[in-house]
Each structure stands twice: as structure tokens, then as C-alpha cells.
Amino acid sequence: MNESSYILIGNKLKWARESLLLTAKEVSQLSSIPVTTLRRVENGDKKSIEKWINELCYLYQINRTKIFSSQYNIPNWKILRRNVLAVHRGNILYLKYINKRPFPRKAIEFRMMQTSFINSYKNTSEIRAFLQKTYNWTFSYEAIVMALDSLAEEHLIEIENVKVNPRSYRKTRKKSNNILSELSLLTIKLEELTDSELNHSVTPAYDRIGYT
């Protein structure tokens, strides 16, 4: 494989980690991989990927063989989470990490933006209420604004009018150079079409963790 193939694999592994709302430090604590090494993996370093691919694929419950295919896309977060709960249900630390309240930006980017909620403009209060109602995550108004503005700076979100307060936001309609957002877009429609068909019986708590 060429260098770009390893970069793509690294991006897929990062996407899986962030879809599970895990930080690099948490993955390091759940595995034997130092944080600096995990960063090299996610940046596409060939030697690091080849050494740690098996452990990471098991941790995230990703198909070890398929991830090397350019046609393989990481499953959406609901499927990842369901598979992780099925295999790692006895790992108390892992369950603690994937059930924690994430940082506001991660909550927006890897949960709310995986729905159609902000396909049209929504103000900060509406976004804050959505996160509270759907996922039972409460964030301050200011924290949500900072997270949304950060995503807007990376062109993942558009602001309707920067001179108007409060601002309104929606998912960007411009093509993004962010490969993680591109992978995300591939799963959103499928997720919304198949959500009702998913088996939520993996754990009794599954139906209480705020899926949309």
C-alpha cells in the first residue's frame, strides 16, 4: 500500500475513536498504546499502524481485514457502540468512558451533526435543547456557542448572519476538505433510513442513552 492508503486508515481509526466519544488518553488507558503513538497511528504512520492495527480494531470492533479496503467505511456510531457493548460489556472502565458526557464540540460534531436536525438553521438555544432532550447532556449556553463557532471556523457549520445575535447555524453546504466529515456524510442517510431496524437489545440500558 502507498502512503495515502495508510493516511486513510489512520483517519478511519480516528473517526471510529471519536464516534465512540473516546479521547486519545482514554484509548491509551484502555490499551497498551501510548498517546503519542496513537497520534502517529491516526496520522497515517505505516509502522505504527501495522504494529497496533489489531489491538485498535478489537477495541473499536472494526473489521480488521476490511479496513484496508478503500471502499470500506466505518459503521455509524450506533452500530459501533452496539458492537462495543456486546464485546466489551465486562470492561467497566470502557463503559464509563463511552457513557460519559462528552465535550460540547464532540457532542455536536459526533452526535447532533449525524442527524438531520441542523440541515436547516437553528439557534443556540434550540441546539442546546436538542442535546438535552435527545442525549440528556446539559451544557452552558456559552459552551455551545464556543463549540459551534469552532466548527464554523473549520467550515463544518455555516452561520446564517454573523452580525445577528443570537446566531443561527446549520450544516455546511460547501464541500469540506475534512476527511472525517466526508466519511460522516456517507453514513447519515443510511443511519436515518435504518434506525428503526436496529436491534437495541444488546444491553438493557441501550434504549435509555438517548438515540435519535
Side-chain angles (χ1 to χ4, degrees):
M1 292 193 300
N2 56 33
E3 181 180 354
S4 61
S5 296
Y6 283 97
I7 291 174
L8 181 59
I9 292 170
N11 274 306
K12 289 179 179 180
L13 290 169
K14 182 178 181 181
W15 174 257
R17 173 176 66 78
E18 297 201 309
S19 291
L20 289 165
L21 301 178
L22 295 170
T23 67
K25 182 178 180 181
E26 289 167 349
V27 169
S28 180
Q29 292 173 342
L30 292 169
S31 66
S32 55
I33 307 173
V35 171
T36 53
T37 301
L38 180 62
R39 296 299 188 196
R40 287 198 293 271
V41 168
E42 293 181 350
N43 286 331
D45 180 71
K46 177 181 177 181
K47 290 183 178 180
S48 299
I49 288 174
E50 291 177 342
K51 181 175 182 179
W52 298 108
I53 187 72
N54 289 335
E55 185 164 354
L56 287 171
C57 283
Y58 176 72
L59 188 67
Y60 304 149
Q61 285 302 291
I62 298 171
N63 188 297
R64 164 66 175 79
T65 302
K66 290 183 178 180
I67 196 172
F68 284 94
S69 169
S70 61
Q71 304 301 313
Y72 175 73
N73 296 312
I74 299 298
N76 67 57
W77 70 272
K78 294 184 182 181
I79 294 174
L80 279 179
R81 184 185 171 96
R82 181 182 64 184
N83 293 343
V84 162
L85 288 172
V87 173
H88 299 289
R89 66 168 64 233
N91 189 327
I92 303 302
L93 185 61
Y94 202 161
L95 297 180
K96 174 185 175 182
Y97 287 156
I98 65 173
N99 283 313
K100 71 181 186 305
R101 185 186 71 167
F103 292 112
R105 175 181 163 128
K106 297 302 180 184
I108 294 169
E109 184 175 6
F110 291 95
R111 288 297 179 268
M112 190 186 70
M113 287 182 65
Q114 308 313 309
T115 73
S116 58
F117 177 70
I118 56 170
N119 284 356
S120 58
Y121 286 111
K122 299 291 191 301
N123 64 41
T124 306
S125 294
E126 291 173 316
I127 291 170
R128 184 169 179 254
F130 176 88
L131 292 170
Q132 167 67 41
K133 180 180 178 180
T134 308
Y135 307 107
N136 199 28
W137 294 331
T138 301
F139 301 105
S140 70
Y141 185 93
E142 293 74 15
I144 295 295
V145 170
M146 290 179 63
L148 289 165
D149 286 346
S150 174
L151 289 164
E153 288 177 1
E154 296 185 17
H155 307 293
L156 299 177
I157 282 179
E158 295 177 350
I159 301 172
E160 185 173 20
N161 187 339
V162 296
K163 296 181 180 180
V164 173
N165 192 27
R167 294 177 173 180
S168 292
Y169 305 81
R170 73 177 179 193
K171 282 185 278 191
T172 185
R173 297 186 178 181
K174 299 177 183 178
K175 184 172 177 59
S176 172
N177 292 325
N178 186 320
I179 191 169
L180 296 184
S181 65
E182 293 301 314
L183 289 172
S184 168
L185 291 174
L186 294 174
T187 69
I188 292 172
K189 189 62 178 178
L190 179 61
E191 176 180 332
E192 293 180 346
L193 287 173
T194 62
D195 183 47
S196 62
E197 300 174 7
L198 290 176
N199 181 356
H200 289 182
S201 62
V202 174
T203 170
Y206 197 94
D207 289 328
R208 300 199 300 274
I209 56 179
Y211 296 99
T212 181

